[in-house]
Amino acid sequence: MPTATGRVKFVTAIAIAALTLFSSTRSQAKKLNVITATTDMAALAQEVGGDHISVESLAKGYQDPHSSSPSQAFCSSCVRRMC
């Protein structure tokens, strides 16, 4: 079960992403890259961002996010998305 601190951090991150997304002018607007830890958070981010964001989750739906360890593929995915 998520903690209150975790929920606050997530809501803050979504708010910052939304502010960043909507503060751009239309001529400068491009998709915001969002990387989440779980598929649940990816689905929520996609609902909030709609067509304005591109979402990727690091863990797959069947993986336990608490026991997953970062791999080379995770790091490569983050770097590819951020650049």
Side-chain angles (χ1 to χ4, degrees):
M1 184 166 203
T3 63
T5 304
R7 280 185 247 140
V8 169
K9 288 180 182 178
F10 176 73
V11 170
T12 302
I14 292 295
I16 290 171
L19 288 173
T20 302
L21 178 67
F22 295 116
S23 66
S24 302
T25 62
R26 282 290 172 193
S27 63
Q28 296 175 341
K30 62 179 183 177
K31 284 192 173 188
L32 179 68
N33 292 324
V34 177
I35 300 173
T36 64
T38 65
T39 54
D40 294 338
M41 293 297 142
L44 184 57
Q46 187 65 55
E47 286 297 317
V48 171
D51 294 334
H52 303 288
I53 66 172
S54 173
V55 182
E56 181 178 344
S57 65
L58 297 177
K60 304 301 177 210
Y62 57 86
Q63 293 176 316
D64 180 8
H66 299 106
S67 63
S68 296
S69 59
S71 67
Q72 182 70 26
F74 284 172
C75 295
S76 297
S77 176
C78 288
V79 169
R80 187 175 53 249
R81 288 289 193 160
M82 300 308 266
C83 295

